[in-house]
Amino acid sequence: MDLTTLAGQQAAIFQQNFTKDEAPLSFAHTNALLAHPELHPPLMLHFWTADQTVILGMQDLKLPQLGRGLRVLASDGYGFFVRNSGGLAVIADRGVLNVSLFLPNEDELSINGAYELMTQLFRTAFPSLPIATTEIVHSYCPGKYDLSVRGQKFAGMAQRRNRAGIVVMLYCSIFGNQDSRCALLRRFYHEGKAAASSHFTFPVIRSETMTTLSDLLGRSLTLEQATVALLNALADTGIAADMNSMPTLLRDPAYHKALTEATADLHTRNRSLKKMGEHDAI
């Protein structure tokens, strides 16, 4: 399957900007939408940003000295929470655009096939870049479907699915100090004693393996410009943008109930993490 097989359909579009304290709501929305496909259109694109937040993966909870690592993040002014998708930490800030592509699972779309749809969206949006999909080993949160150009990663993906639907979640560094982002997570893993783990492997992060879309394009690129490029790519493949469905859904009492439940689940999952990061900075 490629995006052209979805031509003629509409994709519901919604955009959100979260403060550092609100950042977990981004995944509460994702979880609520995935759990209740009966409430929303089958094809959706969710764009969101969050202020200075490290989004941990489940594997990060296995760090030998997780509390010390969390205090590094807190001392640098970053919030943090753990998501229930993807394995390792990524950074959200005002230079990072997060994109979630919701797809119906009725055609038994493969895991790799779903990743390819997101990849095609970015290749169509930024045709001047020779975007490759391969694991960039020394990036943060390395994965098989990292998006890179000439060995430098600018985006990474994770995926969740159930019988009714699929969501492909991508973060993309649009602009900002990528070296600083790498350095923060390098310190997180160092203080968390990642090298001492005997059962789990954590990334050895090298700043030169990561970059931003702005640097790759050789020009300043805003979040708004990147979003427009992706929406234009949808249109180029014959998919119309539906800007009206999601605002109505977000006001629906049934969706509000689903979101409240998903938020409570995230809060429970993260309660102990918050306490671990509240000690004095190291």
Side-chain angles (χ1 to χ4, degrees), residues 135-146:
E135 182 173 348
I136 305 300
V137 176
H138 292 294
S139 65
Y140 53 73
C141 197
K144 178 181 177 182
Y145 269 89
D146 291 338

Side-chain angles (χ1 to χ4, degrees), residues 119-246:
T119 302
Q120 184 185 351
L121 182 64
F122 271 76
R123 284 176 172 156
T124 304
F126 304 101
S128 66
L129 297 178
I131 297 174
T133 53
T134 187
E135 182 173 348
I136 305 300
V137 176
H138 292 294
S139 65
Y140 53 73
C141 197
K144 178 181 177 182
Y145 269 89
D146 291 338
L147 299 187
S148 63
V149 173
R150 293 179 287 275
Q152 286 190 296
K153 175 178 172 177
F154 65 91
M157 288 188 271
Q159 186 174 154
R160 287 190 62 216
R161 54 175 58 211
N162 58 27
R163 289 185 179 181
I166 298 166
V167 58
V168 181
M169 295 160 285
L170 173 145
Y171 79 87
C172 182
S173 297
I174 303 297
F175 63 86
N177 191 331
Q178 192 61 50
D179 288 348
S180 178
R181 294 177 184 130
C182 289
L184 175 66
L185 289 187
R186 195 159 47 237
R187 288 175 55 218
F188 166 70
Y189 286 119
H190 175 75
E191 292 298 333
K193 305 299 180 186
S197 175
S198 58
H199 299 292
F200 297 91
T201 301
F202 297 93
V204 178
I205 300 166
R206 296 178 182 169
S207 299
E208 65 270 19
T209 67
M210 301 190 74
T211 189
T212 68
L213 261 182
S214 290
D215 286 342
L216 288 170
L217 292 168
R219 58 181 173 84
S220 178
L221 184 70
T222 67
L223 297 181
E224 292 76 15
Q225 289 168 336
T227 301
V228 168
L230 291 166
L231 291 176
N232 286 341
L234 274 185
D236 289 344
T237 56
I239 301 171
D242 169 13
M243 309 299 290
N244 299 315
S245 294
M246 293 311 298

Side-chain angles (χ1 to χ4, degrees), residues 39-94:
L39 295 177
H40 58 76
L43 187 61
M44 295 183 294
L45 205 56
H46 182 197
F47 298 98
W48 62 271
T49 65
D51 290 329
Q52 286 186 286
T53 302
V54 173
I55 305 169
L56 303 169
M58 298 297 289
Q59 187 175 324
D60 291 313
L61 303 186
K62 307 299 183 182
L63 280 169
Q65 295 291 332
L66 176 60
R68 290 177 61 86
L70 295 177
R71 292 194 289 276
V72 165
L73 306 181
S75 68
D76 272 27
Y78 280 76
F80 51 83
F81 68 94
V82 63
R83 67 191 187 276
N84 55 342
S85 61
L88 293 161
V90 297
I91 290 178
D93 61 35
R94 289 299 176 173

